[in-house]
Amino acid sequence: MPRFLIELHHSSEYEGCARALGAIIEYGSHFTTNADWGCDDGVHTGWLIAELDTREEALQLVPPQQRSEARVVRLRSWTRDQIEEILRGLDSDTS
């Protein structure tokens, strides 16, 4: 199943943090208990990784009023064999 990183930014003042978190609690989003936040380090963003079928499903985890600001990134992992195959392709392109 595909994995998505959902990034949710908000303004840096205290009120921005409070409003973003309040919207998440009100919406009942997975962000409430599963997200990691960078606010304490000055990065006013929350991150959540979720396994879902589609990008649209990932966006549905974000409260409606915050969706236009959210970023959804499909993630993938690479095996060592896949990386080596890619590198072999580079080598053959330069020959």
Side-chain angles (χ1 to χ4, degrees):
M1 179 172 282
R3 291 178 35 211
F4 295 91
L5 169 69
I6 306 163
E7 237 180 32
L8 187 56
H9 304 280
H10 59 273
S11 61
S12 60
E13 63 276 344
Y14 179 80
E15 185 177 304
C17 292
R19 287 182 191 266
L21 295 172
I24 288 163
I25 288 173
E26 183 179 311
Y27 186 63
S29 171
H30 280 36
F31 266 90
T32 304
T33 56
N34 298 306
D36 291 302
W37 297 89
C39 303
D40 288 347
D41 209 24
V43 179
H44 294 275
T45 302
W47 298 275
L48 173 69
I49 295 177
E51 289 187 7
L52 301 160
D53 288 324
T54 66
R55 179 180 311 278
E56 290 73 27
E57 285 180 43
L59 200 53
Q60 293 302 311
L61 296 179
V62 176
Q65 66 269 36
Q66 296 172 312
R67 287 183 190 153
S68 64
E69 300 296 319
R71 183 166 76 156
V72 176
V73 179
R74 185 172 175 164
L75 302 174
R76 75 164 294 169
S77 299
W78 297 90
T79 65
R80 183 178 182 90
D81 289 342
Q82 290 170 323
I83 294 168
E84 289 173 350
E85 183 177 333
I86 290 168
L87 294 174
R88 279 192 298 275
L90 288 177
D91 290 342
S92 66
D93 288 343
T94 60
S95 322

